[in-house]
Amino acid sequence: PPVDVRVLEVGLDSISLSWQAPSENWGNAVLRYYLRLTPRKPLPPCEVQSQGTEATIRGLQPHTEYVVSVRADSRAGTSGPSAELRVFTSLDLPGPCGPPRCSGEPNQTTLPLEWDPPSAGSGAVQEYELLLVSVDAAQTGQLRLSSEGTCGSVAGLSPSTSYRAKVRARSAEGWGPFSTWSPALTTAAVPVGPKPEPPRMVSSTVHSVLLDWTCHEADFVPLEHEVCWVRAASEAEATSVASIPRGQRQRTSFSGIRITGLEH
């Protein structure tokens, strides 16, 4: 019988094999080889012929164990089977998904994402897993999101930060490979409040002035105000006074502060 039966490659529905001719043929050249693959499941066996010492058997069942044997045929007859070889075909795993992309307008802490389903695999997708990493080396944490559909939102992110994402699918057979990384996906920036009007002097003493100003805040409520001033004689000498916390303001549209310790 043939000897040294080996597996060259295993696919989802195929097995490639090689073997050596019988060590003794008593002067009878091998005309052909018969390969028999018997599945461990209740399925009919698969039999093929080969003129050489290699063959690829197709049309097999995914994730199925086959018992392989090879016989040599010559003018003298057909040999007995080779030593049996047990081979599993590959799992019917989902193929790679499309890279994630934004499905809507990001806000400061959330990225709404969507992706294309797997390009291969016959099993129904049961779950997706999304992996998100920060492009900024200062943020190396990974966020994972499980989703039953081809979309999902990742929350708890940092404002004005770029991320990359990739996704994979799981069927009853297991997880498929991750997609390629997405382009940079950036969360929205923290809004900047409107510029207040220039301060006005309400009153003054020898060493102090009382200033006020109007801030048209609309929907933006600042946490504090900060006042800076310079000496008229030299604008290069600038000094910043203590900021005014929001809780100390008398009303929303008006702020004021008295600057003391000024030169006469």
Side-chain angles (χ1 to χ4, degrees):
V3 296
D4 196 21
V5 181
R6 298 185 179 186
V7 177
L8 298 178
E9 186 176 357
V10 176
L12 183 67
D13 59 356
S14 65
I15 298 174
S16 296
L17 302 167
S18 70
W19 57 90
Q20 299 294 324
S23 56
E24 297 180 1
N25 57 19
W26 294 279
N28 296 303
V30 175
L31 300 177
R32 64 190 65 84
Y33 293 94
Y34 297 110
L35 288 82
R36 181 182 178 91
L37 285 78
T38 304
R40 301 289 289 179
K41 296 180 180 180
L43 297 169
C46 177
E47 295 184 342
V48 296
Q49 295 184 24
S50 175
Q51 300 298 119
T53 56
E54 291 186 5
T56 298
I57 302 92
R58 305 184 186 279
L60 306 178
Q61 293 294 313
H63 192 43
T64 301
E65 184 184 21
Y66 286 86
V67 179
V68 180
S69 63
V70 184
R71 294 177 298 153
D73 184 54
S74 66
R75 293 184 184 277
T78 303
S79 71
S82 64
E84 291 183 344
L85 178 67
R86 297 177 182 273
V87 186
F88 265 99
T89 49
S90 301
L91 291 169
D92 186 16
L93 298 175
C97 304
R101 58 187 181 271
C102 279
S103 60
E105 191 69 25
N107 63 27
Q108 299 170 37
T109 59
T110 303
L111 285 172
L113 302 175
E114 64 181 3
W115 53 88
D116 295 327
S119 57
S122 60
V125 174
Q126 298 181 349
E127 183 184 11
Y128 290 96
E129 183 183 42
L130 183 76
L131 177 63
L132 192 78
V133 298
S134 171
V135 175
D136 186 351
Q139 300 182 26
T140 58
Q142 297 181 352
L143 294 175
R144 293 180 182 270
L145 170 72
S146 295
S147 173
E148 295 182 357
T150 56
C151 62
S153 294
V154 184
L157 306 179
S158 299
S160 303
T161 303
S162 294
Y163 296 87
R164 291 189 304 160
K166 60 182 179 179
V167 66
R168 64 175 178 170
R170 182 179 67 84
S171 68
E173 303 291 349
W175 287 101
F178 272 105
S179 68
T180 57
W181 285 104
S182 70
L185 308 166
T186 305
T187 50
V190 176
V192 178
K195 182 186 297 185
E197 294 181 1
R200 301 177 298 272
M201 185 176 70
V202 177
S203 62
S204 65
T205 65
V206 175
H207 298 290
S208 69
V209 293
L210 176 62
L211 303 177
D212 72 36
W213 59 90
T214 300
C215 183
H216 305 287
E217 297 169 0
D219 295 330
F220 177 84
V221 180
L223 296 179
E224 61 183 11
H225 289 94
E226 184 179 59
V227 181
C228 297
W229 78 92
V230 296
R231 292 177 57 185
S234 176
E235 295 187 358
E237 299 178 13
T239 306
S240 175
V241 302
S243 59
I244 309 171
R246 183 182 61 187
Q248 296 182 10
R249 295 165 53 202
Q250 299 299 316
R251 55 185 183 274
T252 303
S253 61
F254 173 81
S255 297
I257 186 172
R258 179 176 294 278
I259 302 173
T260 59
L262 302 179
E263 295 180 9
H264 184 269

